[in-house]
Amino acid sequence: MNIKELTDLYLFNTYKRNPITIHKAKGSWVWDDKGKKYLDFFSGLAVSGIGHAMPPVVAAIQFQSKKLLHASNLFYTEPAALLAQQLCKRSFAKKVFLCNSGAEANEAAIKLARKYGSQNGRYEIIVFDNSFHGRTLGALAATAQPKFHEGFGPLPPGFPVAKFNQIDSVERLITPRTAAILIEPIQGEGGIRPCTPQFLTALRKLADQHGLLLMFDGVQCSLGRTGDLFSYETYGIVPDVLTLAKGLGGGMPIAAMLGSEKVANVLGPGDHGTTFGGNPVCSMAAIAVLKMLSPKVLKNVKKQSQAILKDLEPLARYPFVRELRAVGLMIGMELTIPGAPFVETCRKRGLLINCTQGNVLRFLPPLALSDSERRFALNILQQVFQREPVQ
Ligand code: PLP
């Protein structure tokens, strides 16, 4: 049996997979099992932003794995402590909770908000249409896209849904039960939809007026994607809670919930936990990633973002393109027709892209993208757009 047959036979059928088997990856490039090479223009879905198998990350993993693979969180370990220190030093945060995935980081944020509000009977968390916060039940309830809920009800209550970028719709939902607002500064799965700066500014003000926590889901849009280390810096709006995952471990599974001074003492022993949270090897990988996210890399994100947008302009004029949306190297091209044939044709030509919401082509290029890699991608996109692939 080949890999595809084995996968189809033994793994739950939860993913619509591309029909290639990824064999290895290095930097911006990925190889399939037939030796064909692809430019990874969506960075393993925003995980390998700093590049695949980057030497500092690999070295950190090798070093730590020889020393200590695991210790229970009932003990102290150096990598977790150093990672939390780095995250606090480089952000607004005073405390960090380490876990394993974006959904888990958001679950931690949801629990923190509920605990914070519990003394005053507050438990509701206002979320937004088209949001995506993960697949576990709490994160799923916060994900205001009915298609993900189907067949999984009843979901935990307490997640009223406001309209994205419409402040009066948020105001209308605030009641004495409201504890927090949870939002992606730039919606990812929802179709690369950025908050307007005015909206985030107004949300911060509203949260302060009503004593609510403002919580940002930065799982997809942080760690360099916008040209700053964290997307809240790009907006100049500081949240009370920020969740991170995906790019944090440079390919290793690690996530974090960051909290400000205001929430630093909300959670106590026994309130929350996870066996693998702050795993020594993953934490060392994350420390290496944070080090790699240098001002030089962040500057490159801004430079390449401008260049790509200029390159994509002519493509955005094709009649089947509705809108081009971007912040930094988080780019969405909404089509009037299905995006899947574009993804497939690009892949056949050696370019990995993604499509979300059925018709939004999503580009999440490597943060250290070079001029020649950008030209390689654009060249393929031009060829593909010229022929307008259809299903
Ligand atoms: N939040 C956002 C904004 C995401 O994009 C995702 C995943 O795509 C998640 C949460 C869930 O992360 P994970 O798949 O690591 O649980």
Side-chain angles (χ1 to χ4, degrees), residues 46 184-189 191-194 219-222 224-227 231 301 305 309 325-332 362-365 367:
E184 295 156 83
I186 303 149
Q187 289 186 334
E189 304 303 302
I192 312 291
R193 295 175 194 280
V219 166
Q220 189 163 149
C221 63
S222 279
R225 265 293 129 211
T226 61
S231 50
V301 171
S305 170
L309 290 180
R325 297 184 286 268
V327 182
L329 287 181
M330 194 165 175
I331 302 162
R362 176 165 43 175
F363 310 130
L364 302 165
L367 305 178

Side-chain angles (χ1 to χ4, degrees), residues 101-104 106 132-135 184 188-189 217 219-220 245-246:
S101 69
E104 217 190 327
N106 286 329
F132 187 86
H133 298 295
R135 308 292 193 142
E184 295 156 83
E189 304 303 302
D217 178 341
V219 166
Q220 189 163 149
K246 287 192 178 284

Side-chain angles (χ1 to χ4, degrees), residues 121-283:
R122 293 169 175 236
Y123 60 89
E124 283 184 352
I125 299 172
I126 296 175
V127 296
F128 293 87
D129 54 3
N130 260 321
S131 56
F132 187 86
H133 298 295
R135 308 292 193 142
T136 51
L137 278 184
L140 188 63
T143 293
Q145 294 195 59
K147 68 180 181 201
F148 292 117
H149 292 180
E150 265 166 45
F152 297 110
L155 294 173
F159 295 93
V161 181
K163 293 217 171 316
F164 193 68
N165 274 336
Q166 292 185 24
I167 197 69
D168 21 329
S169 101
V170 184
E171 261 175 314
R172 276 198 296 275
L173 291 177
I174 295 175
T175 72
R177 295 182 301 279
T178 314
I181 298 167
L182 173 63
I183 190 161
E184 295 156 83
I186 303 149
Q187 289 186 334
E189 304 303 302
I192 312 291
R193 295 175 194 280
C195 281
T196 63
Q198 302 87 308
F199 180 64
L200 271 198
T201 308
L203 268 190
R204 180 68 272 180
K205 215 165 139 198
L206 204 58
D208 289 340
Q209 276 166 359
H210 294 268
L212 315 178
L213 296 181
L214 182 60
M215 310 202 293
F216 286 174
D217 178 341
V219 166
Q220 189 163 149
C221 63
S222 279
L223 296 165
R225 265 293 129 211
T226 61
D228 294 294
L229 186 56
F230 304 108
S231 50
Y232 77 83
E233 297 172 291
T234 309
Y235 282 92
I237 303 293
V238 180
D240 302 301
V241 173
L242 171 68
T243 56
L244 302 172
K246 287 192 178 284
L248 184 58
M252 296 295 276
I254 183 161
M257 172 186 68
L258 278 58
S260 67
E261 181 101 61
K262 198 193 288 183
V263 297
N265 298 314
V266 173
L267 297 175
D271 279 340
H272 198 48
T274 178
T275 296
F276 291 115
N279 169 274
V281 179
C282 297
S283 294

Side-chain angles (χ1 to χ4, degrees), residues 17 22 52 69 80 113 138 173 175 194 220 272 291 304 307 345 351 378:
R17 295 180 202 271
I22 303 291
H52 291 274
L69 279 183
L173 291 177
T175 72
Q220 189 163 149
H272 198 48
K291 215 167 170 188
Q304 292 296 349
T345 324
L351 181 71
L378 256 296

